[in-house]
Amino acid sequence: RDSCLQETASMLIHMALAIPYDQLMAFEKVALAYYALLEALLGQGMDIVCGFETWVVVDVLASLQKGLATALRHKILIQCAKAIDFFGSFLFRHKHRDTPVVSRMRHHLTQVPTLVTELIALLVKQLLTDDHTDLGILSHPLLSLILADESS
C-alpha cells in the first residue's frame, strides 16, 4: 500500500501544529483554513489520523478544544464542532469493531484516557455558559461523544 498520502498528511499536520495558537488565531484566513483542514481530516481521513503518533492526535483534539472555547468567529466554532462530531461518530460507529485503524485509535485513547470526557465537559460548559452558542451546533458532537464514551 502506498504511504504517500499518510506521509503528506503527517507532514502537513506537523507544520500546522507548529504554528503557535495565538498567532494562528491572529490571522483569520489562516485560522479558517487550519480548522477546515482538521474538519476534513477527521471527516474523511480518520484512517490517516489514526496513523499519526499519539501526541499528534492529542494536539489536534486539543486544538479543537481551544477553538471551541476561544473562537471569536462563528464559522470556526462550527468547524470545530463538526470535526469533534466526526471524531465522536467514528468512535461510536467503530465501538465494537476490531480493525487495525480502530486498534490504533484505541491505543491513542488509552494513552490519554480522559480525552473524551474532557471534550464532553467542554461541550457541556459551552452550552451552559456561552450566551452566543447555538444549541444545534454543539448538540451533535455532544451526543456522538456521549454515545462513544467507553466509561458510560
Side-chain angles (χ1 to χ4, degrees):
R1 188 175 152 183
D2 187 14
S3 63
C4 184
L5 180 60
Q6 178 72 38
E7 292 171 10
T8 303
S10 179
M11 184 58 64
L12 181 62
I13 204 70
H14 277 83
M15 289 189 319
L17 289 173
I19 302 170
Y21 184 75
D22 56 335
Q23 291 180 11
L24 175 76
M25 296 306 282
F27 299 97
E28 185 177 319
K29 288 183 180 181
V30 175
L32 287 169
Y34 173 75
Y35 284 110
L37 169 67
L38 296 185
E39 181 184 350
L41 274 175
L42 291 170
Q44 303 298 320
M46 279 303 289
D47 55 333
I48 295 170
V49 172
C50 291
F52 293 156
E53 298 96 345
T54 299
W55 72 268
V56 174
V57 174
V58 170
D59 280 358
V60 164
L61 293 171
S63 181
L64 291 170
Q65 283 179 311
K66 286 180 191 173
L68 268 181
T70 63
L72 299 176
R73 288 283 315 259
H74 193 66
K75 182 153 176 66
I76 291 175
L77 180 74
I78 292 170
Q79 288 174 317
C80 292
K82 285 171 104 176
I84 292 171
D85 184 36
F86 289 139
F87 173 71
S89 296
F90 173 84
L91 294 179
F92 176 67
R93 284 192 321 269
H94 297 88
K95 195 173 190 175
H96 301 292
R97 294 186 182 157
D98 194 25
T99 65
V101 172
V102 174
S103 295
R104 286 194 305 265
M105 183 52 76
R106 283 193 187 118
H107 171 74
H108 295 319
L109 293 176
T110 57
Q111 300 299 311
V112 188
T114 61
L115 191 63
V116 174
T117 53
E118 287 173 6
L119 282 169
I120 291 171
L122 176 66
L123 287 166
V124 170
K125 179 183 174 201
Q126 285 291 108
L127 284 170
L128 295 175
T129 61
D130 193 350
D131 295 335
H132 305 296
T133 301
D134 183 10
L135 177 64
I137 294 170
L138 299 181
S139 63
H140 288 279
L142 183 59
L143 177 62
S144 63
L145 287 172
I146 289 171
L147 292 173
D149 191 17
E150 295 289 333
S151 63
S152 61

